[in-house]
Amino acid sequence: MSLKTLPLVFINLGGEMLYILDQRLQAHNTSDDNSEKGVWSDKDRKRVMNDITATMFSKAFVDELLKPQQLYSHRTLKTVLTRLAHASIMRLNPASMDKLYELMLMAFKYQVFLCPRPKDLLLITYNHIDTIRELVKDTPVVVNQVDEMHRKMIEVYSSLSEGEFQLLRQTLLIFFQDMHVRLSLFLKNKVQNPNGRFALSTSGPVPHGIYVPGLIRAFDSKGREVRRSQFPTGGTYSSSVKEGCFELRGDRVITLGVNMYTVHHPEETQTCKAPPVKTNDTPNPLAKEELNLLARLMGSMKDETETGFWINLFTTDEEDDQASDSRGADDSMFGLISIQAMQDEPASTELAQIAGQFAEQEQPEFTSCTKGDDLLAMMDDL
């Protein structure tokens, strides 16, 4: 197990969390129904991004994070990320945080699976840092914090050998083991199977510094090539592109780790391009599942100084139709679908109690957990 895995996990998961929150707040801010009470303004969105990023990259927190240590358990890591999400004016209930955590995990797991080389895990992380820097570009103080963290990451990881990067990758794969949460975003683009496992392509560019497979060369005792033969590879491979930049700023080449929730970003990677999705008039059974997921993620968000914030997740005509079909009598005054983030929990009281332990107001600290206590205590002081 690598003792340098935690910073990669925290930054990449934190970046995915910021992507989701930013996308939903932007979608709500640009909706037609901006006269509704409790609307999140662009100023609120920027405040959320700045507050969370400032906490995430604070000096004391970063110094503790970069110490060599074992990777946290899912429970402890979720607790740290919950505190991070609550660093601003938002509050997510335990059920919402569970869904958000699953979404972040599966996104990062997919990126690790598609990572061309173990060393390119850094490029994925730097893509997250670059995008976070862009989200807070209007706040120089926070940008400086991001830059300082980036410099420390370069200092810590630039000297690692290929074997150490391979150990990092293996540690991450063990961490992701048995996590097969189905996401409609992946299912729709045919990169995830119905059982939750990823469908990886056998075609595309090879990693940097690697020959295109399909050729066997034989050499004599003097190192001279004497024979060539070819074999079927079972895929269509191409030569690698240039190596990505591992410095503070530059072309990372690979797109793994960039914001896949933006409207104009094509959902493809350097190593695997999602096949085109055939459109038809048949209702997509995954649409409501996606809406339920987003509602669980965002439905309990509210301002600390003002109550009654409602976020309309149905910004398209199709979503409005689904909302109308599912609307209950209690929602007539809002015109929103009734999605209860805790609706699945009565079936399991024990799980509900465990999830409730993650709420900051109910239990500020996990006294039975030793790993992560320093980070949690440090976040309380920020």
Side-chain angles (χ1 to χ4, degrees), residues 46-271:
K46 290 182 178 180
R47 177 181 173 183
V48 170
M49 296 297 106
N50 287 330
D51 290 347
I52 294 179
T53 304
T55 303
M56 183 177 175
F57 293 106
S58 63
K59 184 180 184 303
F61 189 79
V62 167
D63 290 342
E64 181 67 30
L65 186 68
L66 290 175
K67 292 179 180 178
Q69 55 193 303
Q70 292 285 349
L71 184 58
Y72 295 169
S73 66
H74 283 287
R75 177 185 178 184
T76 304
L77 188 59
K78 187 190 299 183
T79 304
V80 175
L81 291 170
T82 301
R83 298 285 183 87
L84 181 64
H86 292 173
S88 188
I89 57 177
M90 298 186 309
R91 289 297 178 268
L92 296 173
N93 63 30
S96 298
M97 192 64 209
D98 287 346
K99 293 299 181 181
L100 178 58
Y101 184 71
E102 290 175 350
L103 186 59
M104 293 185 293
L105 273 183
M106 293 305 292
F108 185 35
K109 179 180 179 179
Y110 183 60
Q111 294 160 12
V112 172
F113 271 38
L114 292 186
C115 187
R117 304 174 300 172
K119 184 179 180 180
D120 290 335
L121 288 169
L122 285 183
L123 294 179
I124 297 176
T125 306
Y126 294 167
N127 272 336
H128 279 102
I129 294 177
D130 291 342
T131 309
I132 293 173
R133 184 188 292 114
E134 184 66 19
L135 290 175
V136 297
K137 63 182 179 180
D138 296 330
T139 311
V141 175
V142 182
V143 172
N144 289 337
Q145 286 183 268
V146 177
D147 288 344
E148 184 60 27
M149 173 60 169
H150 199 162
R151 292 187 186 96
K152 291 182 178 180
M153 289 287 294
I154 294 174
E155 180 182 346
V156 171
Y157 290 95
S158 60
S159 60
L160 265 60
S161 65
E162 293 294 333
E164 289 174 306
F165 279 116
Q166 179 62 25
L167 184 59
L168 273 174
R169 182 177 181 275
Q170 290 296 330
T171 304
L172 286 173
L173 293 177
I174 293 173
F175 178 71
F176 290 131
Q177 193 171 10
D178 299 327
M179 293 290 298
H180 305 296
V181 181
R182 295 188 305 164
L183 301 182
S184 62
L185 178 65
F186 290 152
L187 292 169
K188 181 180 66 176
N189 289 281
K190 307 299 177 66
V191 298
Q192 191 178 31
N193 295 321
N195 62 2
R197 298 183 182 274
F198 292 121
L200 303 180
S201 174
T202 57
S203 302
V206 298
H208 179 76
I210 303 299
Y211 292 105
V212 175
L215 177 65
I216 300 175
R217 297 189 296 169
F219 298 85
D220 60 17
S221 59
K222 296 182 179 180
R224 293 174 299 190
E225 184 178 334
V226 296
R227 186 175 63 257
R228 287 191 175 195
S229 61
Q230 294 183 339
F231 64 91
T233 61
T236 305
Y237 297 96
S238 60
S239 300
S240 63
V241 293
K242 65 178 182 178
E243 186 176 26
C245 177
F246 290 87
E247 301 302 323
L248 188 65
R249 287 176 174 82
D251 184 7
R252 312 300 178 194
V253 179
I254 68 173
T255 58
L256 296 171
V258 300
N259 192 349
M260 66 179 180
Y261 302 101
T262 55
V263 176
H264 302 292
H265 176 64
E267 292 170 9
E268 59 183 35
T269 68
Q270 192 72 19
T271 58

